[in-house]
Amino acid sequence: MDLLEYQGKQFFAGYGIPVSAGEATNDVDAAVAIADRIGYPVVVKAQVHTGGRGKAGGVKLAADAEECREHASNILGLDINGHIVETIWIEKASDIAEEYYASFTLDRSARLHLGMLSAEGGVEIETVAEENPDAIAKIHVDPVVGLTEEACRDWVAAANLNPAATEGAVDILLKLYTAYVDGDADLVEINPLILKPTGEVHALDAKVSLDGSAIYEHPEYEQYEATQPRDEREQAANDKGLQYVGLEGTVGVIANGAGLAMSTVDVVNQVGGKPANFLDIGGGANADVMAGALEVINNDPAVKAIFINIFGGITRGEEVANGIVEAMQRVDIDPPIVIRLDGTNAEEGRAILEPNLSEKLMMEDTMLDAARRAVELAGAEPAGGSN
Ligand code: GDP
Ligand code: MN
């Protein structure tokens, strides 16, 4: 679970890490009211699950209410790397003397926690790693031992921060490690960690990724689920007007009508397969709709076979068949497709599909046989089904 910056700051604050006071909103008037309360200057910050907001115009300083209004209205609705800004965070602006970088994550190969600290903060750590790797001080922490104050001091010394930042940095890094471990995080990152001209050290940004399976031990994490970024596949499908829900399996499913789509998901499970999705193409199944559906499913690397299950009602069989044939000419589909076509004018539809059948395009008479075939093609061992 990836937290938005303001959620990450609230998470940090819970462990005593100093962050700026602020409030989140999705409304321009409310943003100005918040800024009036906090006192100027403020920073207006886009809350999206992506970095590089500053560069994209998603972080702006406002000296007064007028500027705050202008920035808030520009940033709300802004597209940052494909993420549309729905929420902004208004916080008290900080004076910055220096910008540092700090993070903890798991080093899987070493089976140890890895802390990274750099005097070159405010830019992406990947850039620092590429251009000036020596500027990153690393520390491996044995989870059994934990981060001792002594080890932390050595680490801070190795990073060559301004000596004025030493005490503040040690204090924050010890708390950050506690937040990382006790909070069951996969990643905690502060970029920039700032030294103020007054000598205080302070977290100006927050990137936190929590272990999703830790929700049982932290029921309060449930609040973060509503703001999780949506499944990319779902976004692509919804952009095409398709009713799509991403699942974890390998059999892509296309059906007309929500009821049939649900039954199709069920029958795939029943014969021992795992559906990759629920997708209802609705009443119409013309080439445009079918091509869109096939495209979305084809873009899911987990899909190993596709099951198209159509029961013609108002939509006639030959229309659907023509739609499938035309869609296959338009979209280059990798996984094999199994079709079950029944209902109104099914005979005519099957006659259209017949000459197009191949190792990549198969037809079965019943829903159950088609499901078995698709599951088999997806590489799962098909189990018996009773109806
Ligand atoms: P990111 O671009 O998504 O990483 O967003 P950040 O929260 O890291 O902000 C980007 C940059 O904006 C920081 O590196 C700072 O240079 C600047 N910035 C953010 N907040 C403040 C602030 O309170 N005061 C000042 N002077 N600059 C800020
Ligand atoms: Mn940042």
Side-chain angles (χ1 to χ4, degrees):
M1 276 195 303
D2 296 330
L3 304 196
L4 292 168
E5 175 201 4
Y6 80 92
Q7 296 167 331
K9 282 181 169 167
Q10 286 163 353
F11 173 78
F12 284 166
Y15 290 91
I17 296 169
V19 294
S20 310
E23 260 181 79
T25 180
N26 53 15
D27 178 77
V28 174
D29 288 333
V32 176
I34 292 166
D36 285 345
R37 255 198 314 276
I38 292 174
Y40 296 92
V42 295
V43 195
V44 182
K45 307 187 78 174
Q47 299 299 294
V48 278
H49 289 101
T50 180
R53 296 166 302 158
K55 265 190 229 157
V59 177
K60 294 280 185 191
L61 280 158
D64 52 38
E66 196 186 330
E67 277 185 20
C68 178
R69 178 172 296 282
E70 187 188 327
H71 295 322
S73 45
N74 287 339
I75 293 174
L76 280 168
L78 189 68
D79 181 334
I80 302 181
N81 308 325
H83 298 252
I84 306 297
V85 181
E86 289 172 5
T87 304
I88 49 177
W89 166 253
I90 318 294
E91 74 173 25
K92 181 110 188 129
S94 306
D95 287 330
I96 303 175
E98 295 190 13
E99 300 194 22
Y100 307 136
Y101 171 96
S103 70
F104 285 104
T105 186
L106 182 67
D107 182 346
R108 285 186 196 282
S109 55
R111 294 168 181 268
L112 295 168
H113 297 306
L114 172 66
M116 291 200 279
L117 180 64
S118 177
E120 295 189 14
V123 289
E124 276 171 49
I125 195 66
E126 289 81 4
T127 311
V128 181
E130 230 167 75
E131 291 171 3
N132 195 4
D134 293 342
I136 303 173
K138 294 184 181 174
I139 186 172
H140 274 109
V141 184
D142 185 328
V144 178
V145 180
L147 179 63
T148 64
E149 185 175 334
E150 194 191 355
C152 188
R153 283 190 181 280
D154 290 346
W155 178 34
V156 170
N160 286 316
L161 311 183
N162 186 321
T166 301
E167 291 311 313
V170 168
D171 180 57
I172 289 180
L173 291 168
L174 289 170
K175 288 171 175 163
L176 187 63
Y177 182 78
T178 303
Y180 168 72
V181 173
D182 291 357
D184 287 308
D186 292 327
L187 166 76
V188 289
E189 182 188 88
I190 306 176
N191 187 22
L193 173 72
I194 60 163
L195 171 65
K196 297 184 183 184
T198 47
E200 294 140 307
V201 181
H202 185 96
L204 207 63
D205 192 5
K207 186 170 172 185
V208 175
S209 184
L210 299 171
D211 177 357
S213 53
I215 195 154
Y216 302 102
E217 282 173 54
H218 305 271
E220 72 276 16
Y221 289 177
E222 238 167 71
Q223 60 177 312
Y224 303 131
E225 278 182 341
T227 51
Q228 283 314 292
R230 284 161 65 209
D231 185 317
E232 266 176 49
R233 299 172 298 172
E234 290 183 9
Q235 208 145 341
N238 293 0
D239 288 349
K240 293 181 196 294
L242 300 166
Q243 300 301 317
Y244 178 103
V245 180
L247 302 170
E248 310 275 272
T250 54
V251 180
V253 168
I254 299 176
N256 65 328
L260 185 62
M262 278 191 263
S263 310
T264 310
V265 164
D266 282 346
V267 79
V268 167
N269 276 316
Q270 190 190 342
V271 299
K274 290 265 176 292
N277 65 276
F278 164 99
L279 200 171
D280 167 21
I281 53 171
N286 61 29
D288 281 343
V289 175
M290 192 54 83
L294 283 171
E295 217 172 292
V296 168
I297 290 186
N298 193 48
N299 284 339
D300 181 348
V303 171
K304 298 291 178 270
I306 302 172
F307 177 11
I308 301 180
N309 191 9
I310 304 291
F311 194 94
I314 296 167
T315 319
R316 299 193 314 273
E318 69 266 31
E319 282 179 73
V320 178
N322 282 324
I324 293 171
V325 172
E326 200 187 321
M328 295 223 21
Q329 284 159 359
R330 280 202 244 158
V331 189
D332 213 354
I333 311 291
D334 302 321
I337 300 174
V338 183
I339 303 170
R340 175 261 188 158
L341 178 59
D342 215 331
T344 314
N345 291 8
E347 288 290 312
E348 289 84 341
R350 293 196 200 123
I352 290 167
L353 288 170
E354 206 77 49
N356 294 283
L357 297 180
S358 69
E359 277 183 359
K360 301 283 275 188
L361 186 67
M362 284 150 267
M363 198 157 52
E364 292 286 350
D365 287 343
T366 70
M367 178 155 152
L368 189 61
D369 285 343
R372 283 206 182 104
R373 187 78 173 265
V375 168
E376 206 173 74
L377 288 163
E381 198 65 20
S386 56
N387 51 10

